Amino acid sequence: MATGKDRQKQLAREHYERQMARRAERQAKQKRLAIIGTSAGVLVVVGGIFAAVALVGGGDSKTEAATATPSAQSSAAPSAGPTPKPYDAATGTCDYVADSSGGQVKNVGMPPAKADKSAQTMTLTTNHGDIVVQLATDKAPCTVNSFAFLAKKKYFDGSKCHRMGPAAFPMLQCGDPLAKADGKSQTDGTGGPGYKFADENLSGAKYTRGVVAMANSGPNTNGSQFFVIFGDLQLPPSYTPFGTVTKGLKILDDVSKKGVLPGGTGDGTGAPKDPVEIKRVTISGKS
């Protein structure tokens, strides 16, 4: 017959088990928010939902990605340095701060603080044709301002999109100017401009076919990596949406059908077998 002391032990054990279950659930949720970052992740299947854990290697902080709860946030260490401030509507200025997280850097300088809100479209000229994006400049002025600056500096010219997802995770990730996208490089997904800026346009964010959003390694760690969605993703509002594709989605559809190269991190994503190279990026203003 169980004593009162035995009953107390049982209740304590059950309480501990519930705590551990809740902790595991929180950790799983955090990992699911890590699918589309600036880095490759380790994808697992949880109840039919793809989830990813971005990897952190050496001093390099590999950024996060998208999940199907998918997301670009991973368990990667947050980017070091000061936290950038959000867009100041009163002065029309953005806050770009140095990113000292340790990833590979292609340094072309820092964007001007004053946001140029004249940008209307972004054209990614690729080896497969043009991908045209209608920019959400009013909702993501600092993101668009950064892209306009980097495009002017030819930052993206000759860069390769290093990560594509399977049918269950339909996105193409680009913007690492140093990525080799050969299925062998261990540094793909770690490249950036050496600065970071705050998240924007997250309220009510939806990640549906055609949306273009920023990859990141946690809140307010945007750099130059971004992803283009060619299906629908159920993601948390953690990745700045800054445009919508108006032309060229068929390019991604066709490339995705050819699959990805082996040698990835086992998350179902990898460099596309049919390489996607960004020859140049052009930003067009309002007429």
Side-chain angles (χ1 to χ4, degrees), residues 131 164 172 228 230 248-257:
I131 299 173
M164 175 167 272
L172 177 69
V228 184
F230 53 94
L249 275 178
K250 189 176 184 302
I251 291 173
L252 276 64
D253 293 336
D254 292 343
V255 170
S256 69
K257 291 175 183 177

Side-chain angles (χ1 to χ4, degrees), residues 17-33 46 51 69:
E17 289 173 351
R18 287 195 298 270
Q19 284 184 321
M20 292 301 99
R22 285 195 293 267
R23 179 181 297 179
E25 183 179 355
R26 287 196 301 270
Q27 291 175 339
K29 183 178 180 180
Q30 290 172 347
K31 291 179 180 180
R32 284 197 296 272
L33 296 183
V46 181
T69 91

Side-chain angles (χ1 to χ4, degrees), residues 1-272:
M1 182 174 181
T3 66
K5 185 175 293 186
D6 291 336
R7 179 58 178 164
Q8 286 179 338
K9 288 182 179 180
Q10 180 181 354
L11 291 174
R13 183 169 58 252
E14 291 175 350
H15 177 68
Y16 174 77
E17 289 173 351
R18 287 195 298 270
Q19 284 184 321
M20 292 301 99
R22 285 195 293 267
R23 179 181 297 179
E25 183 179 355
R26 287 196 301 270
Q27 291 175 339
K29 183 178 180 180
Q30 290 172 347
K31 291 179 180 180
R32 284 197 296 272
L33 296 183
I35 292 185
I36 286 191
T38 25
S39 74
V42 178
L43 235 171
V44 296
V45 178
V46 181
I49 296 176
F50 283 100
V53 182
L55 305 177
V56 182
D60 296 336
S61 175
K62 292 191 175 183
T63 319
E64 311 170 27
T67 72
T69 91
S71 145
Q73 163 133 12
S74 81
S75 54
S79 182
T83 300
K85 298 175 183 176
Y87 175 68
D88 187 335
T91 61
T93 57
C94 303
D95 188 30
Y96 301 102
V97 301
D99 180 1
S100 54
S101 61
Q104 296 192 112
V105 173
K106 179 179 178 179
N107 191 342
V108 294
M110 199 83 78
K114 186 73 173 180
D116 179 359
K117 299 182 71 174
S118 65
Q120 188 173 33
T121 61
M122 175 173 70
T123 301
L124 307 175
T125 300
T126 78
N127 56 320
H128 294 281
D130 289 351
I131 299 173
V132 181
V133 180
Q134 182 71 37
L135 296 169
T137 307
D138 290 340
K139 295 180 178 180
C142 297
T143 306
V144 172
N145 190 57
S146 174
F147 269 85
F149 169 78
L150 294 175
K152 185 176 181 180
K153 294 292 185 177
K154 303 184 185 302
Y155 174 91
F156 297 104
D157 291 13
S159 64
K160 297 177 180 179
C161 297
H162 65 279
R163 190 179 183 206
M164 175 167 272
F169 189 53
M171 66 86 201
L172 177 69
Q173 189 169 331
C174 313
D176 177 351
L178 304 174
K180 294 181 174 61
D182 59 2
K184 301 176 183 178
S185 175
Q186 297 299 306
T187 59
D188 282 8
T190 66
Y195 65 80
K196 58 185 178 178
F197 56 94
D199 298 326
E200 300 179 289
N201 195 28
L202 296 184
S203 179
K206 301 294 183 183
Y207 303 94
T208 53
R209 178 174 168 85
V211 167
V212 184
M214 295 300 294
N216 64 48
S217 55
N220 304 311
T221 57
N222 302 290
S224 61
Q225 293 193 43
F226 62 98
F227 57 100
V228 184
I229 301 171
F230 53 94
D232 288 342
L233 292 176
Q234 298 300 315
L235 304 180
S238 302
Y239 313 97
T240 297
F242 66 96
T244 305
V245 175
T246 59
K247 174 187 175 183
L249 275 178
K250 189 176 184 302
I251 291 173
L252 276 64
D253 293 336
D254 292 343
V255 170
S256 69
K257 291 175 183 177
K258 299 177 183 178
V260 301
L261 294 173
T265 54
D267 64 357
T269 69

